[in-house]
Amino acid sequence: MTAEGGRADGGAAERDEIAWYTAVVQTHASALVKYFARRGPRQDAEDLAADVLATAWRRRADVPRGEELPWLYRTAELTLANARRKHHDLAVDMVPERGTGRVRDDPELSALFDDELRGALASVGERDRRILLLHAWEGLDGDELAAVLGITRSGADAALSRARSRLRAAWGRRLEF
């Protein structure tokens, strides 16, 4: 006990929680902003990311230590779904800024490639698109992807494999003339 009548370790525990939360924000805030910017209006991305981080603070006892990012992405999905229900549909058909050098260096080819990829992504189911975007944009696979999806690791691996297969098939159909 301290002279003020409180527990001596109470302040240390609170400082530990604040330090943990500060590290979570510093480490993952930009990933959350990118997550939202890729899925909707960029002007909403920072606000939505802040909502997720506020939820992480309020529910800090539920956030698995060392597994913060998958928990944040799962919360981000719920936050985005709530935002869509409250306001309006947010665009999810933006293509990541990746591609081969040849495509990237040729604006006309790049535009064609982006349109075809958007079309192929639009033709797969919502769940497949979600899995593919979590993998491609957020770099999740294995245990992290499983945690975000709320399934086992083997289930996540199988789901990613099926989603890739469906995207390949959709891509192939789009390239047939």
Side-chain angles (χ1 to χ4, degrees), residues 18-31 53 72:
I18 292 170
W20 168 81
Y21 181 72
T22 300
V24 167
V25 171
Q26 290 173 344
T27 304
H28 302 301
S30 65
L53 292 168
L72 291 168

Side-chain angles (χ1 to χ4, degrees), residues 6-62:
R7 297 186 65 137
D9 62 350
E14 185 176 333
R15 282 191 301 277
D16 288 347
E17 287 183 353
I18 292 170
W20 168 81
Y21 181 72
T22 300
V24 167
V25 171
Q26 290 173 344
T27 304
H28 302 301
S30 65
L32 288 171
V33 171
K34 289 176 186 175
Y35 175 93
F36 288 115
R38 291 175 178 135
R39 287 161 175 81
R42 293 189 190 279
Q43 67 268 17
D44 296 340
E46 289 183 5
D47 291 339
L48 292 169
D51 289 346
V52 171
L53 292 168
T55 301
W57 175 253
R58 282 191 311 275
R59 298 198 46 215
R60 61 190 173 273
D62 299 331

Side-chain angles (χ1 to χ4, degrees), residues 3 8 15 21 34 69 72 76 82 90-91 98-99 104 111 117 129 132 136 139-140 150 152 157:
R15 282 191 301 277
Y21 181 72
K34 289 176 186 175
L69 189 58
L72 291 168
N82 287 337
L90 301 176
R98 291 187 181 187
R104 187 173 46 246
L117 183 54
R129 186 170 37 257
L132 291 164
L140 300 184
T152 65
D157 291 343

Side-chain angles (χ1 to χ4, degrees), residues 93 95-96 98-100 102-119 171 174:
D93 61 348
V95 178
R98 291 187 181 187
T100 65
R102 180 172 170 250
V103 170
R104 187 173 46 246
D105 294 341
D106 183 337
E108 189 174 330
L109 189 55
S110 179
L112 177 63
F113 179 82
D114 287 353
D115 287 343
E116 291 303 317
L117 183 54
R118 281 188 190 98
W171 181 261
R174 293 188 65 79

